[in-house]
Amino acid sequence: MPERESSEGAERHATPAEAESDAQRLLPKLLAAVDPERPVAIYTHDQPDPDSIASAYALQHLLARRLEADASIAFGGTIGRATNRAMVEHLGIRLRPLSGIKYAEYGTHCMIDTQPEMGNHSIPGDLSIAIAIDHHPPRPGARQAGFTDVRTDYGATSTMMFYYLKAAGLDLPAKLATALLIGIKSDTRGLEREASEADLHAYLEIFPRADLTLMARIESPRIPQKYFEAFHGALEVSALYDGVLVADMGEVENPDLVAELADFFIPLEGADYALVMGRHRGRMYLSLRTRSDEHDAGATIARVVGEMGTAGGHGKMAGAQISFEGAGEGIADEVRRRFLTELGRDPEAEPVSLVRK
Ligand SMILES: [Mn+2]
């Protein structure tokens, strides 16, 4: 295991010096892409995670301080994870649901921690995006925003945003520092995975400015009972196929659970892959985690989903969505078969239940 962890980190090469010079070079272009006379909209991906929330908050701060721009943050889907909800509440970050956004009222549209042609957001395809800042690999031939800053060498968009704030000469208020710290921590799993030197450096620089009491409160939130029920259900349906864990949750109350359960299962001894599926409002959500270097999570899930839906992700974690009509009953089985075949497992093999019933 340890040697794998170190090679994982090596995938992201950004150094602090590069991060600083890139931010200095790109900052004027970023600011020039904003119409400061009109309200600005900043969009996270759907079911926003701490990295996208913190990055959006940082961009809002940057535009307010440097351009006096009035920027709102909007998101699609729900904020399901208790820690993410606690983050928004304790830090007082105002997020508006996308359903209430009138696009014509905004002069500048920004996407953060995602890009125009990603499948993980609900922004209309014909909306002209002025700014996109992200660390996920772009799709080949994807339509670009006016100002596009996609640097896959970073473990978190929060790190990129930290260097923008630094290049702009802005101080970090405690709440923003706390948000960025949580953003970096969560996207790199505590700097263990896919973290570059720049991520580590940013983390250390931000750390003394953060409110650690608040951070502890956010990271250990109270958990509703429904959550335990969902975990119970997931344990019961989990099946192992030769080192591959598959859990089809059926209907889920919030799609965030799917990713959370994938994180929950991947430490399992003897499992190199965890795929969790759940349906919510006519969509199947998939989340894949891997501990193996043999198959890239993002590429694997993209091949599994194929023309059925949209997919995206990194080497060790990836997600996908498939829209369907009706009950969508057969989809999970189709995905499971394709997935096992993709990993060279026998889709007909008898699975082993994870827990005794
Ligand atoms: Mn991210």
Side-chain angles (χ1 to χ4, degrees):
M1 239 7 254
E3 64 277 12
R4 271 188 198 159
E5 302 286 341
S6 59
S7 69
E8 280 167 20
E11 290 165 15
R12 312 243 171 194
H13 305 287
T15 65
E18 271 164 18
E20 292 203 6
S21 68
D22 282 348
Q24 263 156 19
R25 178 173 56 83
L26 293 169
L27 178 66
K29 296 178 186 173
L30 162 62
L31 297 175
V34 178
D35 172 1
E37 303 302 320
R38 297 184 59 204
V40 176
I42 301 170
Y43 309 112
T44 67
H45 46 76
D46 291 353
Q47 277 73 246
D49 61 14
D51 185 39
S52 67
I53 295 169
S55 309
Y57 189 36
L59 181 59
Q60 183 184 45
H61 182 78
L62 175 68
L63 300 185
R65 289 297 160 90
R66 286 299 298 264
L67 301 174
E68 289 178 31
D70 168 22
S72 299
I73 305 171
F75 74 104
T78 50
I79 301 177
R81 288 196 191 210
T83 49
N84 300 0
R85 280 220 283 263
M87 177 180 177
V88 168
E89 277 166 30
H90 286 299
L91 299 179
I93 303 173
R94 180 147 182 242
L95 297 175
R96 302 175 191 218
L98 212 50
S99 54
I101 294 291
K102 294 192 178 73
Y103 294 104
E105 287 176 5
Y106 298 89
T108 309
H109 302 278
C110 314
M111 293 189 120
I112 195 119
D113 202 36
T114 185
Q115 301 164 47
E117 279 180 36
M118 294 286 196
N120 63 351
H121 61 75
S122 311
I123 308 298
D126 57 357
L127 189 70
S128 169
I129 302 297
I131 293 169
I133 304 173
D134 193 11
H135 66 136
H136 298 90
R139 272 156 203 254
R143 195 169 44 98
Q144 298 236 313
F147 170 83
T148 301
D149 176 13
V150 175
R151 283 176 277 158
T152 55
D153 267 355
Y154 292 75
T157 303
S158 295
T159 300
M160 296 164 67
M161 291 315 301
F162 165 71
Y163 283 104
Y164 272 122
L165 295 168
K166 202 175 168 186
L170 295 173
D171 279 339
L172 277 186
K175 284 185 173 171
L176 179 53
T178 309
L180 289 170
L181 216 52
I182 295 172
I184 296 172
K185 238 176 133 175
S186 86
D187 254 33
T188 62
R189 302 255 200 115
L191 300 166
E192 172 211 6
R193 278 183 193 207
E194 305 194 32
S196 66
E197 236 186 278
D199 294 301
L200 176 61
H201 185 87
Y203 188 87
L204 295 174
E205 260 197 79
I206 299 166
F207 193 84
R209 298 172 167 96
D211 182 334
L212 300 181
T213 310
L214 210 51
M215 188 157 95
R217 223 172 272 161
I218 291 165
E219 291 182 327
S220 310
R222 299 305 297 261
I223 309 286
Q225 189 224 341
K226 275 185 183 157
Y227 178 97
F228 293 93
E229 275 174 6
F231 269 64
H232 177 97
L235 285 165
E236 283 207 328
V237 299
S238 293
L240 276 160
Y241 301 82
D242 184 19
V244 181
L245 183 138
V246 180
D248 172 22
M249 298 283 299
E251 280 292 321
V252 288
E253 202 178 277
N254 84 71
D256 252 8
L257 251 181
V258 173
E260 192 158 16
L261 284 161
D263 288 337
F264 172 68
F265 283 124
I266 193 60
L268 175 66
E269 269 181 351
D272 284 330
Y273 302 90
L275 175 71
V276 180
M277 298 178 263
R279 297 192 301 267
H280 182 79
R281 294 191 183 166
R283 272 189 187 187
M284 167 78 90
Y285 291 83
L286 288 86
S287 226
L288 175 62
R289 301 290 180 267
T290 86
R291 297 186 81 89
S292 166
D293 290 332
E294 206 184 324
H295 297 274
D296 177 273
T300 301
I301 205 157
R303 279 197 295 270
V304 168
V305 167
E307 75 293 346
M308 293 195 291
T310 57
H314 319 270
K316 303 291 162 192
M317 51 200 288
Q321 297 182 15
I322 300 169
S323 297
F324 58 83
E325 308 276 332
E329 289 294 348
I331 298 175
D333 199 51
E334 173 69 15
V335 167
R336 182 189 59 81
R337 290 170 160 279
R338 287 194 189 196
F339 177 58
L340 292 171
T341 306
E342 190 65 43
L343 298 181
R345 266 66 169 186
D346 175 11
E348 306 299 338
E350 201 53 44
V352 177
S353 293
L354 179 61
V355 293
R356 275 183 289 259
K357 306 251 163 78

